[in-house]
């Protein structure tokens, strides 16, 4: 069993939950940044240093929900010279809720493991694609991308090192997803009337160029596949001024029955509309 280091502990406040009534994915990445900073500090590195190793790619599996009032911790292991693994655990039930495979821009020293009497969480990482490589090529080709977001970088979007934070990118991708699903018929009123939502099960986030405070940003999104209950989407966030890509996210989620907390089949009309947007 791999030893792990506790790098973050907290609770889920109501204001960090979304319309699906669970912990918002953008805040997962905010807490991931804090856990990473704790791990780097244990290695003698300063996460506020612009030259410190930073996240370049993060593959995520969402295995179980966290909801309002739940308590959790993040445990971190070193998976390689330039890779960390983080496991988010429900502190009440000890269930593994989320797994993050994080590729970094440079090597980190060996992560020290404190002596602990309790057992660490034993996690498999065979689901990680491309061996977790930071520079793996994009899975998509050029195709019909829909404009799904426009805004500007604010001071609150910056991470600990003063760069545009991954959490800020993911929050934009979440909003973009709502606009994309609106185009296929999953409108806000549809979701309210049927008590359904869209729940993410897989992420593959790639971090690109930085964007300064005040820089206008644009998000474009496209459907990559549709199943009986699932939908795969890709988002691209770019600087408006020069078109340089800031971040890219491949996302898989399910049409969620909020009462049963289980995937539900898509209506045929939505499936057909989504298929019409496939690249």
């Amino acid at each position: 069993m791999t030893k792990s280091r506790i790098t973050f502990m907290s609770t889920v406040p109501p204001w960090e939950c979304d319309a699906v009534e669970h912990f918002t994915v953008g805040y997962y990445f905010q807490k991931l940044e804090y856990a990473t900073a704790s791990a780097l500090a244990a290695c003698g590195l300063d996460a506020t240093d612009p030259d410190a190793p930073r996240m370049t790619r993060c593959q995520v599996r969402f295995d179980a929900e966290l909801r309002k009032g739940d308590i959790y911790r993040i445990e971190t292991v070193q998976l390689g010279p330039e890779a960390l693994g983080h496991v988010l655990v429900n502190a009440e039930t000890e269930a593994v809720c989320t797994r993050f495979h994080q590729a970094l821009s440079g090597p980190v020293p060996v992560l020290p493991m404190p002596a602990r009497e309790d057992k660490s969480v034993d996690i498999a990482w065979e689901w990680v694609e491309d061996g977790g490589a930071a520079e793996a090529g994009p899975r998509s080709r050029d195709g019909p991308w829909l404009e799904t977001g426009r805004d500007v970088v604010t001071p609150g979007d910056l991470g600990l090192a003063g760069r545009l934070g991954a959490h800020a990118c993911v929050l934009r991708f979440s909003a973009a997803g709502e606009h994309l699903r609106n185009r296929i018929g999953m409108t806000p009123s549809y979701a309210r009337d049927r008590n359904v939502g869209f729940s993410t099960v897989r992420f593959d986030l790639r971090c690109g160029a930085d964007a300064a405070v005040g820089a206008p940003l644009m998000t474009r999104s496209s459907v990559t596949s549709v199943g009986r209950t699932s939908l795969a989407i890709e988002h691209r966030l770019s600087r408006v001024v020069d078109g340089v890509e800031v971040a890219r996210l491949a996302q898989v989620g399910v049409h969620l029955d909020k009462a049963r907390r289980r995937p539900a089949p898509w209506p045929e009309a939505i499936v057909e509309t989504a298929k019409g947007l496939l690249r």
Side-chain angles (χ1 to χ4, degrees):
M1 183 170 290
T2 304
K3 280 286 188 179
S4 59
R5 183 183 187 94
I6 296 176
T7 49
F8 190 77
M9 300 174 71
S10 192
T11 185
V12 180
W15 56 88
E16 292 184 354
C17 294
D18 57 19
V20 188
E21 301 167 3
H22 59 199
F23 199 23
T24 305
V25 288
Y27 287 110
Y28 278 85
F29 278 84
Q30 182 187 67
K31 313 316 178 190
L32 175 65
E33 181 180 24
Y34 301 159
T36 303
S38 177
L40 292 180
C43 296
L45 301 175
D46 181 0
T48 66
D49 181 353
D51 295 325
R54 60 182 178 82
M55 185 171 71
T56 55
R57 184 182 184 188
C58 192
Q59 297 182 63
V60 189
R61 281 189 60 163
F62 298 92
D63 297 314
E65 293 183 297
L66 281 176
R67 305 190 69 184
K68 178 179 67 176
D70 282 339
I71 56 175
Y72 65 92
R73 68 180 183 273
I74 297 177
E75 300 190 17
T76 301
V77 299
Q78 190 160 17
L79 300 176
E82 299 181 7
L84 295 176
H86 307 268
V87 181
L88 191 151
V89 180
N90 184 315
E92 177 188 3
T93 66
E94 293 299 311
V96 172
C97 297
T98 312
R99 291 174 267 179
F100 305 85
H101 184 286
Q102 182 185 48
L104 301 172
S105 61
V108 298
V110 175
L111 178 64
M113 295 297 164
R116 290 170 53 190
E117 294 182 359
D118 57 317
K119 292 183 178 180
S120 298
V121 178
D122 194 19
I123 294 297
W125 301 95
E126 74 281 353
W127 52 274
V128 174
E129 297 179 0
D130 309 315
E135 301 301 327
R139 67 180 66 185
S140 66
R141 298 173 295 177
D142 289 336
W145 293 85
L146 304 178
E147 185 175 322
T148 51
R150 278 187 181 263
D151 64 353
V152 299
V153 180
T154 69
D157 291 328
L158 303 185
L160 297 174
R163 293 176 56 92
L164 180 64
H167 74 283
C169 298
V170 172
L171 287 172
R172 285 168 170 81
F173 291 143
S174 293
E178 297 295 341
H179 283 272
L180 179 66
R181 289 187 291 277
N182 181 69
R183 293 287 293 270
I184 66 173
M186 189 181 180
T187 64
S189 58
Y190 164 92
R192 284 192 295 267
D193 293 346
R194 292 163 178 78
N195 197 31
V196 295
F198 186 75
S199 182
T200 299
V201 295
R202 292 285 293 269
F203 260 9
D204 188 353
L205 176 70
R206 292 178 172 88
C207 303
D210 194 15
V213 171
L217 299 175
M218 178 176 69
T219 308
R220 295 179 298 155
S221 307
S222 186
V223 174
T224 56
S225 71
V226 58
R228 191 177 73 91
T229 64
S230 65
L231 184 71
I233 303 169
E234 187 162 339
H235 305 283
R236 297 178 182 179
L237 180 66
S238 304
R239 299 189 304 229
V240 172
V241 173
D242 55 12
V244 171
E245 187 171 285
V246 173
R248 179 182 300 204
L249 177 69
Q251 176 184 22
V252 179
V254 296
H255 184 240
L256 183 75
D257 181 325
K258 289 167 59 176
R260 297 175 56 243
R261 311 308 295 182
R262 298 291 300 168
W266 291 106
E268 187 61 31
I270 288 181
V271 171
E272 291 306 311
T273 304
K275 286 180 177 179
L277 295 178
L278 286 174
R279 291 185 275 106

